[in-house]
Amino acid sequence: MTTMAKSGVVRVCFVCLGNICRSPTAEAVFRRDVEAAGIAHRFEIDSAGTGDWHVGELAHPRTRATAEQHGIAITHRAQRFTSADFARFDWIVAMDRGNVQALRDLAPDDGARAKIHMFRAWESDAPLHAEVPDPYYSGQFDLVLEICERASAGLLAHLRAKHGI
Ligand code: 4NP
């Protein structure tokens, strides 16, 4: 069973590799959706990467530009996900299977492992085991945003039902 902070706040962390493209997009889209629903006080939302190459940097310029075209400002600075973060979050939402494996390798116990999920698992009509593609080399920044919008809606519906929000 997923544990929840005493305050009734649901803590969600989106995770990718570099924390400059996919997970900052997912974080910003999900925060926008939560704010639009008027339930921001029930959530803590963050993102992190399994790698440390870009720690401290703003999101990729194309990630920020693509989000801005959709009215979303991304101000996040990259940080690395550490094993201590398993205690800080209830839902750890990975962009691809490589992220899931890296997180599983970091997880201190079964309770931590149970918090790890694939973001697209909540996207309606997504193929089974679908991943958010890495745009860093492919340039698919628009596709990443579209996927994040669909998956965010599904994740929010799931968390509202699960936590009675
Ligand atoms: P992200 O994309 O995991 O969506 O932030 C990447 C960013 C940087 C690198 C790889 C993927 N990199 O190799 O530096």
Side-chain angles (χ1 to χ4, degrees):
M1 199 177 101
T2 303
T3 55
M4 198 168 68
K6 280 199 188 92
S7 57
V9 169
V10 180
R11 304 164 305 167
V12 184
C13 188
F14 296 93
V15 177
C16 63
L17 182 58
N19 193 214
I20 56 169
C21 302
R22 293 166 292 174
S23 61
T25 301
E27 175 195 348
V29 168
F30 187 71
R31 179 175 293 112
R32 178 207 59 186
D33 290 350
V34 159
E35 285 173 356
I39 50 177
H41 60 290
R42 298 295 306 273
F43 287 89
E44 274 175 30
I45 306 163
D46 204 350
S47 68
T50 59
D52 66 355
W53 311 283
H54 299 282
V55 166
E57 294 177 18
L58 285 170
H60 191 289
R62 288 194 57 194
T63 293
R64 285 183 281 138
T66 304
E68 268 163 31
Q69 284 165 9
H70 291 249
I72 300 168
I74 299 183
T75 56
H76 180 80
R77 287 195 179 264
Q79 53 190 354
R80 187 178 204 174
F81 193 93
T82 72
S83 57
D85 289 323
F86 283 101
R88 293 183 50 223
F89 297 103
D90 308 303
W91 297 86
I92 297 164
V93 182
M95 301 296 117
D96 65 29
R97 281 192 285 276
N99 309 145
V100 168
Q101 190 55 55
L103 288 164
R104 288 183 68 84
D105 291 346
L106 265 184
D109 53 35
D110 286 348
R113 270 185 288 278
K115 295 179 178 182
I116 304 167
H117 304 270
M118 283 275 273
F119 190 28
R120 295 192 73 182
W122 291 293
E123 179 187 333
S124 56
D125 300 329
L128 197 62
H129 307 309
E131 303 177 293
V132 184
D134 184 346
Y136 191 64
Y137 296 108
S138 73
Q140 293 176 300
F141 291 91
D142 290 317
L143 177 62
V144 166
L145 190 95
E146 278 171 37
I147 291 170
C148 285
E149 295 206 307
R150 291 196 298 265
S152 174
L155 173 60
L156 183 54
H158 177 76
L159 295 186
R160 292 189 76 156
K162 192 93 182 166
H163 295 283
I165 296 171

